[in-house]
């Protein structure tokens, strides 16, 4: 049996999305900037994708800039917002649990002397409170970047509150919504969001294509300079098939968001509870309620994450420990450490992320196997207390 | 990312366990770094390693290198066992990813720590 | 009849490429950074694509960095090379006929105070000579960026000579090979190229994916920061299907390069000669011999480019005037102006770019129609001399 | 990017040509900018525009705005023709892309230049 529970890392592209992309590869393949029928057809595909994306997040089509993925969107937002506000100041606020596309970029900018950086701590659930943002704001603060939902532990931040705090102070607010988009309702207007990053491959769309929402009136320089595409905000021939795929996937995910939250949420809860019931000495990471409906993240004491993943993989189960980008690295998850977990416990985390294609059968299979796997590894571990061992 | 050899030792680790009243025990690494290896030796009066067991907290490579290291020294003299190198462990495993070489170093160190412990006890007993 | 002669703007994705991509969308969809079978499958696809691309350009797989397109590759090369050589100097040399992804980026960097920029003139054929590079080199020159082949007029530069000049002086050499790759032989080692930009959609691959070749030993900082992908050189979940598509397309194009150069070259020559024979007062733009095998570019006196395109489009023929990215803009092509054409002639250029899928029937159709179209527009033109008019 | 109306006037431009011994001729724009418009008027003794022709070097919008402008003033009095605005031309064409609005301005200017030329000739003849 093959069970894919690594949907926070990336998702399968759904059939409807592939079907929607194919004509853009082979028939409507013109360059939208050209001046002929092939180009107009491609431009129409772009226009309608832009409208669809705007609709889902409560934006206007003009506010949607298509990019080469979530990381590019984050980089563009951060570098752009800081460059555009040089005269006002150079203080930036972010949180300790951001994705590396935000955290490493801001830290690089700090080293380059471009910004003064405040990294807010989080509580034990990885939540960034609006109060902590408020008290960190300074007169020279130009940008606040707080993620919508955390990729490792699934915790959802009080984005509307943080947005309000920033808007009231006249400070730009960027949110990395790569994990949230398509999974929880987003309204950029009501939430006072100025800049927002989206990535298609997190909701059954293709890899290598994303969105940066830029609120009307916010002007930031381009990260990629050249042709006049995307109203001069992002150069490069538009990835028409990818953009069509992104919009198709987002529309579909959004249409079924509520029902999927229930369906996926129920399976997720079964998995959450099943693990807690069957395996001693585990600790749920992330907020129990303000949490993405598809995320399970446990620290499993006495053993190390990679070993768990390998054992699961041998049995056909795809999972993660820490974020995908840093697996292979030796550091434990910066997110779990920021939440206050001791190193040895942070090393033993297991993330299982579901999708609407996950079945109950798959969850049962995991719940059957996981306890044995954990026990086997614990029996091998010098940290596992003797009394259990007997 | 791992060779078949590594996966074989991870899936079916040789010599897992503890030895009660071991002639020597070595523990290296720490949980903070994500790897702890413990090696137990049973050494006979001719200084031959009669039995060896290990316990490991760590990644796949940590488990596989511990397992391989115990296999390589089992039945060997203490003198020969001291000559074990991390490179030899890596070679026996048909390679390790660059980021995991430190596990083989840990395995070498664990063997040596266990032998040192044995020597210390032996010398104290004299 | 539909005739697509805008292949320098973008190309149809060929069937073999779509077929190669589909499994990466729907089956091998794992995130290559994860630790399970889905991830390993995706990683194998990446590895083999990297080898294929390296083979075609004479590079080592490690030297291939996959990006989100040609513009990103250019931006990364330019910003990266300058940032990495801050201590050595800040003088950069480029040419007046570069694509905007190079020219505008360097001009922005100049405005930001990051570089001193020398923009070399070109000859009447748009060629940048190695001698002109040599005489512009200074002790504080850190980078030379000269395009391999021009996107508008198809002229191929003496890249190996320029590469040698730069290497001898120890100056980094970047070449924008977006138009050349797959169409003319490239050997990064023999040509002494340090950095080179490639874009898949110019050789029947997908849009939104490209390559930056970075010679071993050349270290440049990332443009997009975040996860450790591409050996920490380009963050963001790898666009596995796009990368597979790029490699498949490049391999196929490369395998048939010689035969296509002959086949496409013959049709191109028929078109070149046919236009010259049938239409008076036209001027070939670009070098007659050192020229991409698929490029036709004529200035057609007394009339304006967009009108020609519209008339062609009405008749099912897709063509370009100036580069696609600036159509819609009011400026005439900066390339034609740099070649010394007067404004009113630069305004009347027509670019027809063929592909291996172009047929003789299509060329005949264009040759039949074009003279009438030109005559109609000339009859409407106040610039058209009376004696012709009679 | 162009409306059907624009494309119709581009494909079938009305009143293309020249008028010999025209009552007034107006030429605006220049080749450097990529647009030249020339308007020829035939005006009768009651100051009614009996006939109008144009020649244009320029993009699709330049051709369409010239064509539309000539239609709008044909048969009108000189006084009425002077009231033509670029906005009216754009409206009659059901819109133009923002980058092409300058073409409609050029068309307005061409009409006015031709009428001015007529007036100058008329006043000189007096
Ligand atoms: C010479 C040249 N450089 C760079 C580019 C930019 O490539 P892309 O559109 O893939 O970003 C193009 C084409 O658009 C080009 O022709
Ligand atoms: C929260 C978050 N931000 C940013 C990214 C980066 O997106 P991408 O991989 O599409 O560049 C990811 C996923 O990788 C993510 O989970």
């Amino acid at each position: 049996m093959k069970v894919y529970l690594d949907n926070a890392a990336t998702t399968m592209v759904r059939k409807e999305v592939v079907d929607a992309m194919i004509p853009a590869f082979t028939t409507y393949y013109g360059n939208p900037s050209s001046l002929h029928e092939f180009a107009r057809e491609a431009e129409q595909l772009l226009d309608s994708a832009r409208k669809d994306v705007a609709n889902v997040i409560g934006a206007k089509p003009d506010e949607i800039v298509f990019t080469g993925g979530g990381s590019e969107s984050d980089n563009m937002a951060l570098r752009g917002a800081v460059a555009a506000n040089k005269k006002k100041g150079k203080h930036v606020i972010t949180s300790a649990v951001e994705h590396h596309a935000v955290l490493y970029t801001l830290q690089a900018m700090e080293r380059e002397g471009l910004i003064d950086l405040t990294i807010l701590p989080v509580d034990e659930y990885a939540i960034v409170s609006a109060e902590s943002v408020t008290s960190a704001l300074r007169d020279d603060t130009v940008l606040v970047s707080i993620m919508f939902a955390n990729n490792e532990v699934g915790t959802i931040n009080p984005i509307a509150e943080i947005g309000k705090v920033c808007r009231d102070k006249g400070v730009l607010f960027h949110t990395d919504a790569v994990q949230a988009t398509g999974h929880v309702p987003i309204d950029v207007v009501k939430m006072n969001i100025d800049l927002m990053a989206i990535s298609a491959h997190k909701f059954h769309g293709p890899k290598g294509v994303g969105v940066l929402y830029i609120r009307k009136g916010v002007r930031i320089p381009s990260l990629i300079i050249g042709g006049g595409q995307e109203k001069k905000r992002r150069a490069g021939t538009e990835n028409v098939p990818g953009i069509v795929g992104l919009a198709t996937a987002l529309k579909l995910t959004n249409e079924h968001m509520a029902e999927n939250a229930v369906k996926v949420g129920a399976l997720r809860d079964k998995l959450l509870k099943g693990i807690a019931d069957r395996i001693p000495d585990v600790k749920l990471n992330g907020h129990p309620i303000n949490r993405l409906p598809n995320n399970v993240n446990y620290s499993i004491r006495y053993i190390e994450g990679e070993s768990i993943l390998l054992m699961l993989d041998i049995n056909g189960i795809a999972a993660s420990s820490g974020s995908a980008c840093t697996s292979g690295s030796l550091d434990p998850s910066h997110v779990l450490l920021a939440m206050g977990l001791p190193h040895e416990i942070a090393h033993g985390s297991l993330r299982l992320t579901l999708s609407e294609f996950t079945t109950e059968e798959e969850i049962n299979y995991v719940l059957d196997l996981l306890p044995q796997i954990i026990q086997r590894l614990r029996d091998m571990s010098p940290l596992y207390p003797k009394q259990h061992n007997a | 990312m791992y060779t078949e050899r590594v996966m074989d030792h991870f899936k079916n680790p040789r010599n897992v366990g503890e030895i009660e009243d071991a002639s020597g025990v070595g523990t290296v690494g720490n949980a903070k770094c994500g790897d702890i290896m413990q090696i137990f030796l049973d050494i006979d009066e001719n200084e031959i390693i009669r039995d060896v067991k290990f316990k490991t907290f760590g990644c796949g490579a940590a488990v596989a290198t511990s397992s391989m290291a115990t296999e390589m020294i089992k039945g060997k003299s203490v003198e020969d066992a001291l000559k074990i190198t991390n490179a030899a462990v890596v070679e026996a495993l048909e390679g390790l990813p660059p980021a995991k070489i430190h596990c083989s170093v840990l395995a070498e160190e664990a063997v040596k720590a266990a032998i040192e412990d044995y020597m210390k006890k032996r010398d104290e007993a004299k």
Side-chain angles (χ1 to χ4, degrees), chain A residues 47-302:
Chain A
D47 285 348
S48 107
R50 205 180 299 279
K51 267 185 214 132
D52 288 344
V53 172
N55 270 343
V56 169
I57 61 168
K60 293 182 274 295
D62 266 8
E63 298 175 322
I64 303 301
V65 175
F66 292 112
T67 69
S71 300
E72 184 191 323
S73 296
D74 280 329
N75 276 252
M76 178 178 173
L78 302 173
R79 294 222 176 244
V82 168
N85 287 285
K86 248 190 227 157
K87 282 186 190 144
K88 186 184 167 195
K90 59 176 206 169
H91 181 235
V92 176
I93 298 170
T94 191
S95 86
V97 297
E98 298 296 311
H99 189 270
H100 287 151
V102 169
L103 206 52
Y104 284 173
T105 301
L106 289 175
Q107 287 169 340
M109 290 169 70
E110 191 181 33
R111 281 194 303 275
E112 293 162 23
L114 293 173
I115 60 170
D116 294 338
L117 185 60
T118 296
I119 301 179
L120 296 177
V122 296
D123 72 6
E124 59 178 309
Y125 302 118
I127 284 185
V128 184
S129 70
E131 294 73 45
S132 71
V133 173
T134 307
S135 35
L137 280 168
R138 310 191 321 210
D139 286 344
D140 62 339
T141 305
V142 292
L143 176 67
V144 171
S145 179
I146 304 291
M147 71 199 316
F148 205 117
N150 186 272
N151 46 304
E152 292 191 33
V153 298
T155 297
I156 300 171
N157 277 315
I159 290 302
E161 288 176 47
I162 296 173
K164 187 161 181 343
V165 164
C166 295
R167 187 63 55 84
D168 286 350
K169 265 280 205 171
V171 170
L172 286 182
F173 175 43
H174 168 61
T175 185
D176 175 344
V178 168
Q179 289 288 336
T181 312
H183 299 288
V184 293
I186 297 181
D187 186 318
V188 289
V189 174
K190 287 199 193 129
M191 294 174 166
N192 286 310
I193 294 166
D194 295 305
L195 297 156
M196 185 172 87
I198 296 177
S199 184
H201 70 97
K202 306 289 187 181
F203 44 80
H204 306 293
K207 298 174 176 69
V209 57
V211 165
L212 180 60
Y213 160 79
I214 307 179
R215 188 169 64 81
K216 204 166 193 122
V218 174
R219 274 171 201 280
I220 63 171
S222 301
L223 183 68
I224 297 174
I225 297 176
Q229 291 92 349
E230 298 295 294
K231 297 200 189 280
K232 300 205 171 137
R233 292 169 297 188
R234 201 278 190 181
T237 303
E238 300 90 338
N239 177 359
V240 182
I243 290 166
V244 167
L246 181 150
T248 308
L250 186 54
K251 237 178 101 172
L252 283 170
T253 310
N254 190 58
E255 277 166 17
H256 302 284
M257 190 190 288
E259 87 198 56
N260 278 335
V262 173
K263 193 187 106 180
V264 176
L267 287 180
R268 194 272 314 267
D269 289 344
K270 178 169 187 177
L271 187 55
L272 271 183
K273 191 165 176 317
I275 291 176
D277 287 350
R278 284 171 178 75
I279 306 174
D281 291 334
V282 298
K283 178 188 172 316
L284 181 65
N285 295 315
H287 199 278
I289 296 161
N290 295 331
R291 177 184 200 99
L292 290 174
N294 73 334
N295 177 292
V296 170
N297 189 311
Y298 273 108
S299 281
I300 302 186
R301 286 201 73 159
Y302 315 125

Side-chain angles (χ1 to χ4, degrees), chain A residues 302-304 306-308 310-311 314 328-330 332 343-344 347-348 376-384 386 389, chain B residues 1-2 7 10-13 16 18 31-34 36-38 54-61 63 99-100 102:
Chain A
Y302 315 125
I303 58 180
E304 193 269 348
E306 191 200 288
S307 291
I308 311 176
L310 287 177
M311 289 301 295
I314 290 166
S329 107
L330 309 173
H343 270 77
E344 66 270 26
H347 273 294
R376 228 193 108 144
L377 290 170
R378 283 183 170 169
D379 286 342
M380 223 189 273
S381 170
L383 299 176
Y384 193 48
K386 279 271 158 46
N389 232 348
Chain B
M1 70 176 211
Y2 288 132
M7 284 309 293
F10 174 73
K11 276 193 264 188
N12 311 298
V16 174
E18 301 187 11
K32 206 176 154 184
C33 299
I36 299 178
M37 284 186 199
Q38 212 167 25
F54 82 91
K55 285 207 156 180
T56 289
F57 164 87
C59 63
V63 173
K100 299 294 188 180
H102 76 282

Side-chain angles (χ1 to χ4, degrees), chain B residues 27-69:
Chain B
T27 307
V28 297
N30 66 64
K32 206 176 154 184
C33 299
D35 311 279
I36 299 178
M37 284 186 199
Q38 212 167 25
I39 287 205
F40 302 83
L41 298 175
D42 175 15
I43 297 176
D44 71 12
E45 55 288 354
N46 298 320
E47 304 228 308
I48 300 294
I49 299 173
R50 197 157 38 190
D51 198 9
V52 47
K53 298 270 181 208
F54 82 91
K55 285 207 156 180
T56 289
F57 164 87
C59 63
V63 173
T65 52
S66 322
S67 165
M68 179 55 86

